[in-house]
Amino acid sequence: ICNEQNNSPAGNRLPTTLPLIFAIHCFGCSAMTMYTSFAQHANEHNLVLVAPEGIKNSWNARHCCGYALDNQLDDVGFLSHIQSALSNEFTFINPQFTYATGWSNGGFMVMHASELFRGIAPISGFIAGIESELKSGDISGGKPLFIHQGMDDPFVRPTGCCHDPTLPKCCCNIAADTCTDVMDVARNWAVEVNECKNDKTLLNETSYTDTDEGIRCLTS
């Protein structure tokens, strides 16, 4: 939250509570991958940025990936410990104002550990199943999900990653028991976690589009 001269980036008194942002790297990437992407934004907007690094550059996120998954490491516990340690040390950190974004393996991770966060933004990595403690009625006010997925992504396919031999495979041996499309993941989250009404108006396309880049944005 401070620059090399130990100055507040805004040059003013900081708010009583600062948002704590976890930025979780991809499989085979490092913490610096995320730090370099988000550090400037954290300084500009008075955010506390945490870019942790998984053992052997991997995270155990239910279906993905590598050493952490193979050895069933408790990465949810690891992130929870960081959250608790920081909130115990710094009065301006409140666990209730913790958010997370993650890329690929990191996207799987923030969904797997979503109980720790006020809102999550997975990028090119999503989990179909919803943790039981997130089901409607168990959390107050729902939980924002800002999911980013390339519809031509060959590594984490928008149709889901599963064991079905008739469907295209994802990278890194990512495979759930069944394949669930990313749009269905968004719908299920809206209904089961945020208690949205499940009708034809559930997902609405916004005015934000970029046809040249193939970008479209939907809300629920």
Side-chain angles (χ1 to χ4, degrees):
I1 61 169
C2 295
N3 62 20
E4 292 83 353
Q5 286 75 43
N6 200 33
N7 296 319
S8 165
N12 299 312
R13 180 182 298 175
L14 295 174
T16 303
T17 301
L18 299 179
L20 175 61
I21 312 296
F22 280 78
I24 313 298
H25 64 75
C26 66
F27 177 46
C29 303
S30 69
M32 287 302 295
T33 306
M34 303 302 283
Y35 176 80
T36 54
S37 298
F38 289 95
Q40 180 179 345
H41 300 291
N43 279 327
E44 290 176 353
H45 299 286
N46 289 338
L47 310 174
V48 180
L49 175 65
V50 175
E53 188 163 291
I55 299 296
K56 297 195 175 182
N57 308 101
S58 63
W59 301 101
N60 177 16
R62 197 191 301 180
H63 309 305
C64 174
C65 286
Y67 180 89
L69 178 65
D70 294 341
N71 291 274
Q72 288 297 291
L73 302 185
D74 182 12
D75 283 326
V76 174
F78 172 48
L79 300 182
S80 178
H81 176 76
I82 295 173
Q83 185 185 57
S84 297
L86 290 175
S87 64
N88 289 336
E89 183 172 354
F90 300 106
T91 57
F92 52 79
I93 293 178
N94 183 337
Q96 294 184 9
F97 296 96
T98 305
Y99 306 83
T101 185
W103 175 28
S104 197
N105 189 188
F108 284 88
M109 190 67 227
V110 300
M111 291 199 74
H112 184 47
S114 55
E115 63 187 272
L116 301 177
F117 309 119
R118 189 182 183 96
I120 59 173
I123 305 166
S124 299
F126 60 90
I127 292 177
I130 296 173
E131 306 288 349
S132 60
E133 60 270 21
L134 296 180
K135 297 295 179 69
S136 58
D138 291 341
I139 58 174
S140 175
K143 190 179 295 284
L145 171 68
F146 188 20
I147 189 167
H148 305 68
Q149 182 62 44
M151 301 309 287
D152 295 322
D153 189 338
F155 299 103
V156 178
R157 297 187 179 276
T159 51
C161 303
C162 63
H163 294 290
D164 190 334
T166 66
L167 295 175
K169 297 298 181 185
C170 296
C171 81
C172 316
N173 298 315
I174 305 171
D177 291 334
T178 58
C179 272
T180 304
D181 185 278
V182 65
M183 298 300 291
D184 288 332
V185 171
R187 291 187 186 93
N188 294 342
W189 189 280
V191 173
E192 297 184 34
V193 177
N194 294 332
E195 298 186 282
C196 297
K197 186 177 180 180
N198 190 9
D199 59 19
K200 63 182 181 180
T201 66
L202 180 62
L203 294 182
N204 299 292
E205 187 153 3
T206 70
S207 59
Y208 179 78
T209 60
D210 187 330
T211 53
D212 291 336
E213 296 293 336
I215 297 172
R216 56 196 289 254
C217 182
L218 294 92
T219 62
S220 63

